[in-house]
Every structure is written in C-alpha cells, then in structure tokens.
C-alpha cells in the first residue's frame, strides 16, 4: 500500500510541475511577442530597487492597514511553503516528518509555521471582509465585475482552506503521536511544536487511531495537491504577481517616471531639419538605422514592448492606480487598472490564437477600440499618479502614451482641441491663438 501511495505521489508531482512548466513557457512566449527593449543597465540599482519594493514591500505599506495585512499573508504563505519540501521528500520516499532529526530546530520551525498559518488565515478573512462587505471604492470598479471579482475571492477561499488543512494535519498527527500510533510515535514529546493546532485536539478526542490516520492522510494529500493546483492556477489569475513582481520591478524604469520616450526616427528627422549644413539625401552611416519605423505608437499588443506586456501579467488588480487617478475621480471612463487588465486579456487572446493555429491568424481585433476606448486614452492627464501608486512598479501611462502616439501619428486622430493647440504651437510658438506680438495685450487691458 505504501509503494502505491509513493507512486501516486510522484505522478501527481510530475503532472503538477509539468503543467506549471508548460504555463510558464506560454507566458514567456506571449511576453516575447512584444518589441525588445534593453533594461539591463545599472544592475546594482535595479537589484536595490527590487529588494526595496518587491521584497521589502515599501510601497505596499503606504496604506498601512492593507499593507501590513499583505506582508503577513505574503511572508507567511511563502515561509509556510518551505514545509512543502519536507512533504515532497516524505511523499517520494515514504518517510514521515523527515526533518524531525533536527530536534529543537524542527520544533521551532513547526511552531513558527503554525503561528504564521493562523495569522495568514486571519489576514485572509479580513481581506475577504474588506473586498466583499466594506464597499471600498477601489474594489467596486466596473472592470472588477464577474471573473476578476470571483478570481480574487477564489484565491482567498483557497488560502483559508490550505491553512486549515495544514493545522488539521498537524493536530491529528500530534494526537497520533500521543496515542503511540505506529509511524507517528517516534515524534512524541514535541508538544511545543503545535502551539495552534493543539487547540483543535478536542475535535478529535475519542477517535480511533485508524480514523485519525485517515483524517491526517486526507489533510496531507489535500494540502499538497492543493498547493500544486494553486501553483498552476496562478497563470490564470491576478495572483501571478506572486512570481512576476520581482522581475517586473527589476525591469521597471530608472529614469524619471514622467519623462517621455522620444522616437529615434523622429529625433533624427528633427535634427536634420534644424541643421542647415545637413544633406537630406545623404545615405545613412554604416550601422545606422535606415528610414522610419514600420509603425508609430501602438494599436495592438505586438506594438508594445516586452516590459509593458510583463506589466500586464504582473497587475494585481488592487486598484491603487485607479483610486489615485484624477480623471477617474472626476467620473471619466479612464481606469489605469482597466488599461492593464485589457492589455492582459488581449495578450491572452492572441496567445490562444497562436496555440490553436501554430501562428497568429488575423482575428480582426486589436487592443485599440476593441478593448481600450479612445475616450479612455484622451482622459489621461499624464500626471503619473498611477505609476507612483503601483506597489509593483507597473507603468500604465507608457501604454496610454504609446496608443495616443499611434492615434496622432498614424491616424491623425487627435481630439480637436489638441489639434488646434499643436497648430498654434507650429504657427505661433505657443498653444494659444495669438502671435508673439499680441501675447501681452491682456496685460495692457488691465
């Protein structure tokens, strides 16, 4: 019977890890659909930023309540899953609590895991109440209806179940130790290792060893299978940020966040126009890029760069960006969170298209208009509040600006007010409809 259990465990482990590897491969493929961009400069500064923001959660705690709870859940969940290593070894080799040879150190580890599991459970319950009962504004956006709302709750339920299974597994294990059951009795005498689950012992009082073993084994199996399921669910969930927050912060901008990126082709053309000695018909120098880019700006995910696509997968849908957005606060349609969610949804649609057909087959859709409306793009004030608010370094503004660039430079589809302002700048050197000689007339009238 034991060898059958070991074989089933190895099969489950291989299937779970294999499916996860397949999902990661698809994720990388989808991100690589974007334009290449070099963000490998200043490695030391990037690592420091990653340690401060992704690991240290420095931007999360700007909102103390949710930030503190997030740290408890995040740190607790990660540390508790160190115990997964022991479960894997036990599952493969048929052992029981293989690390118990560590003695007092093992007692401290298990005790720490239990305390953290309890804190995670409490934290998750509070998160559920905040998301579903307190009507917090940033959780009520139109983009959070349906699957996004359900996805967030599914993860909360899942974490509660995993923590409960962990404590039930320990409680029944401890009861079996005290009962002197075979395969468990060798661990007797470590009551200090179960500071939380020992309070569950009255539930199992009077049960036979056979019943306790069934409950303990069921909790053990459900716990590890649940972790493998959770690992693979991440790809389909906003909780993918658990894995992507670190690379996302590492590859984020180091320059001033509000600094606009200039197109090299346009810069060269302007420089050529401003240089009276330049030969407009001269051939480009060796190694110099010829001509203008195939497309100005972005209308679909293929036109965005790989960091922007990584951003879309990393979005936690927390809504801090949208709650800080002045356009959204005044009732306009723009929601930076929706910009990121729409980008991810379109990227996933393109990825499914490639998986099905072997290559991308034109589906008659694009990110612009089919997902993100022009009204949303032009509502942005480019104040950079969304970028500053994001706890994992996501930059919705860069996507908005690239799509605006496409509308202006490819379709000449700027709003009338902007077209007038640009015409005035071209003719008068300022956005106002006055020539330079008349600009101070208003002062004379007073």
């Amino acid at each position: 019977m034991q060898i059958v259990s070991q074989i089933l465990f190895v099969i489950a482990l291989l299937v779970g890890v294999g499916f996860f590897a397949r999902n990661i491969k698809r994720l990388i493929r989808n991100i690589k659909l974007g334009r290449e961009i070099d963000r490998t400069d200043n490695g030391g500064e990037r690592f420091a930023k990653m340690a401060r923001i992704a690991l240290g959660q420095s931007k999360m705690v700007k909102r103390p309540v949710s930030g503190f709870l997030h740290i408890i859940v995040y740190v607790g969940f990660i540390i508790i899953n160190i115990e997964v290593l022991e479960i894997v070894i036990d599952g493969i080799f048929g052992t029981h609590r293989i690390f118990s040879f560590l003695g007092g150190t093992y007692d401290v580890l298990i005790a720490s895991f239990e305390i953290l599991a309890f804190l995670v459970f409490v934290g998750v319950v509070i998160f559920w109440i905040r998301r579903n009962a307190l009507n917090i504004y940033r959780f009520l956006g139109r983009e959070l209806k349906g699957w996004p709302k359900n996805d967030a709750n599914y993860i909360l339920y899942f974490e509660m179940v995993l923590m409960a299974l962990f404590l039930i597994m320990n409680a029944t294990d401890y009861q079996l130790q005290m009962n002197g059951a075979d395969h468990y009795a060798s661990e007797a005498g470590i009551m200090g290792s179960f500071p939380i689950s020992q309070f569950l012992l009255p539930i199992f009082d009077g049960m036979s060893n056979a019943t306790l073993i069934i409950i303990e084994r069921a909790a053990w199996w459900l716990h590890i299978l649940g972790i493998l399921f959770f690992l693979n669910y991440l790809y389909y969930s906003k909780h993918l940020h658990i894995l992507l927050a670190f690379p996302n912060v590492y590859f984020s901008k180091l320059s001033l966040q509000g600094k606009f990126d200039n197109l090299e082709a346009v810069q060269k053309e302007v420089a050529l126009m401003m240089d009276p000695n330049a030969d407009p018909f001269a051939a480009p120098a060796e190694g110099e890029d010829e001509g203008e880019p195939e497309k100005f700006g972005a209308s679909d995910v293929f036109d965005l760069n790989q960091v922007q696509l990584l951003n879309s997968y990393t979005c936690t849908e927390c809504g801090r960006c949208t709650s800080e957005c002045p356009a959204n606060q005044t009732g306009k349609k723009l929601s930076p969170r929706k910009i990121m969610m729409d980008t991810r949804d379109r990227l996933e649609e393109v990825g499914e298209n490639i998986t099905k057909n072997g290559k991308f087959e034109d589906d008659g859709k694009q990110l612009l208009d089919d997902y993100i409306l022009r009204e949303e793009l032009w509502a942005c004030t480019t104040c950079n509040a969304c970028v500053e608010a994001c706890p994992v370094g996501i930059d919705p503004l860069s996507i908005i600006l690239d799509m605006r660039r496409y509308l202006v430079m490819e379709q000449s589809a700027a709003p009338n007010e902007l077209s007038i302002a640009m015409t005035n700048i071209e003719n008068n050197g300022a956005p106002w409809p006055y020539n330079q000689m008349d600009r101070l007339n208003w002062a004379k009238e007073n």
Side-chain angles (χ1 to χ4, degrees):
M1 185 63 182
Q2 181 61 44
I3 190 65
V4 173
S5 176
Q6 290 172 244
I7 292 172
L8 290 175
F9 180 86
V10 170
I11 292 173
L13 185 64
L14 290 176
V15 170
V17 173
F19 196 72
F20 175 72
R22 189 209 70 163
N23 286 340
I24 292 300
K25 185 177 179 181
R26 286 188 177 182
L27 175 71
I28 294 172
R29 178 204 65 188
N30 291 354
I31 291 174
K32 285 186 174 181
L33 294 174
R35 295 182 293 103
E36 291 186 7
I37 182 172
D38 185 8
R39 291 277 179 86
T40 58
D41 59 314
N42 301 304
E45 186 178 354
R46 291 186 179 280
F47 270 111
K49 185 177 182 180
M50 182 176 68
R52 183 177 68 256
I53 296 176
L55 182 63
Q57 307 276 294
S58 61
K59 296 183 78 171
M60 281 296 303
V61 295
K62 288 184 178 180
R63 299 194 180 196
V65 175
S66 58
F68 179 69
L69 289 171
H70 186 273
I71 288 176
I72 289 176
V73 173
Y74 180 77
V75 173
F77 195 77
I78 295 299
I79 292 178
I80 291 167
N81 280 321
I82 295 174
E83 173 247 359
V84 173
L85 178 61
E86 181 181 57
I87 290 180
V88 169
I89 295 174
D90 285 344
I92 294 174
F93 296 102
T95 54
H96 182 71
R97 295 191 178 272
I98 188 67
F99 292 153
S100 61
F101 71 88
L102 295 172
T105 301
Y106 185 74
D107 295 355
V108 172
L109 282 174
I110 295 299
S112 301
F113 294 162
E114 288 213 350
I115 293 171
L116 285 171
F118 176 73
L119 292 175
V120 168
F121 189 92
V122 172
V124 168
V125 169
I126 296 174
F127 274 140
W128 187 92
I129 293 172
R130 283 170 54 83
R131 184 170 286 273
N132 295 279
L134 298 185
N135 292 324
I136 296 174
Y137 174 75
R138 63 191 174 101
F139 297 137
L140 302 176
R142 68 186 189 282
E143 65 269 21
L144 287 189
K145 305 299 182 184
W147 167 252
K149 180 179 177 64
N150 293 335
D151 171 46
N153 284 329
Y154 292 157
I155 288 291
L156 295 178
Y157 298 143
F158 213 80
E159 289 178 342
M160 283 190 275
V161 169
L162 285 178
M163 295 305 103
L165 287 170
F166 174 72
L167 294 174
I168 290 171
M169 177 182 70
N170 280 355
T172 50
D173 190 296
Y174 178 56
Q175 184 64 59
L176 286 164
Q177 292 176 31
M178 292 191 297
N179 292 351
D182 292 340
H183 204 57
Y184 296 87
S186 60
E187 310 305 329
I190 56 173
M191 182 174 178
S193 298
F194 303 103
I196 303 299
S197 61
Q198 63 179 314
F199 293 106
L200 300 178
L201 291 180
I203 300 174
F204 308 106
D205 188 38
M207 291 185 180
S208 66
N209 283 353
T211 302
L212 289 170
I213 290 173
I214 291 173
I215 297 174
E216 190 273 337
R217 286 291 85 190
W220 186 92
W221 272 101
L222 289 173
H223 184 68
I224 187 61
L225 291 177
I227 289 173
L228 290 173
F229 178 83
F230 179 83
L231 185 67
N232 285 288
Y233 179 74
L234 289 180
Y235 177 79
Y236 307 96
S237 166
K238 76 187 188 74
H239 286 75
L240 194 56
H241 74 273
I242 294 173
L243 303 178
L244 297 184
F246 288 87
N248 193 79
V249 174
Y250 181 86
F251 291 116
S252 62
K253 279 186 179 179
L254 295 181
S255 59
L256 294 174
Q257 293 291 354
K259 182 179 179 181
F260 289 175
D261 294 325
N262 292 319
L263 289 177
E264 186 177 357
V266 176
Q267 280 185 294
K268 288 180 179 179
E269 185 175 346
V270 172
L272 186 66
M273 294 170 61
M274 299 296 289
D275 184 359
N277 300 317
D279 180 2
F281 302 104
E286 184 177 350
E288 186 177 0
D289 189 25
E290 294 189 38
E292 63 184 38
E294 294 182 4
K295 188 176 186 178
F296 292 104
S299 63
D300 209 348
V301 290
F302 302 102
D303 309 317
L304 299 173
N305 66 53
Q306 293 175 0
V307 172
Q308 289 170 321
L309 299 185
L310 174 63
N311 281 180
S312 72
Y313 274 123
T314 309
C315 179
T316 70
E317 300 176 15
C318 66
R320 293 189 181 203
C321 55
T322 295
S323 67
E324 296 290 337
C325 175
N328 185 271
Q329 290 175 6
T330 56
K332 294 181 175 62
K333 282 190 174 182
L334 174 63
S335 168
R337 171 174 57 193
K338 179 180 177 295
I339 296 292
M340 303 314 303
M341 293 171 67
D342 286 343
T343 303
R344 181 181 62 213
D345 289 346
R346 173 57 180 164
L347 184 55
E348 272 296 290
E349 184 178 49
V350 168
E352 289 299 319
N353 185 312
I354 294 173
T355 300
K356 179 180 178 180
N357 301 308
K359 63 178 182 178
F360 180 70
E361 298 286 350
D362 186 12
D363 57 1
K365 296 181 182 180
Q366 62 177 3
L367 184 60
L368 178 65
D369 295 330
D370 291 303
Y371 284 85
I372 299 175
L373 303 179
R374 301 179 186 212
E375 181 182 350
E376 298 174 75
L377 296 174
W378 292 116
C380 177
T381 68
T382 68
C383 69
N384 212 52
C386 57
V387 183
E388 181 61 31
C390 182
V392 290
I394 292 170
D395 187 0
L397 179 58
S398 68
I399 295 178
I400 293 172
L401 292 178
D402 280 349
M403 297 185 76
R404 278 184 175 183
R405 177 175 282 161
Y406 172 81
L407 289 173
V408 173
M409 300 186 71
E410 292 281 349
Q411 295 192 341
S412 299
N416 187 52
E417 297 84 355
L418 182 57
S419 297
I420 293 173
M422 288 191 293
T423 300
N424 288 331
I425 290 173
E426 182 179 358
N427 296 331
N428 306 323
W432 303 284
Y434 311 109
N435 62 49
Q436 294 186 20
M437 299 297 294
D438 296 333
R439 284 185 196 171
L440 290 178
N441 287 350
W442 66 272
K444 296 176 183 178
E445 295 173 0
N446 295 328

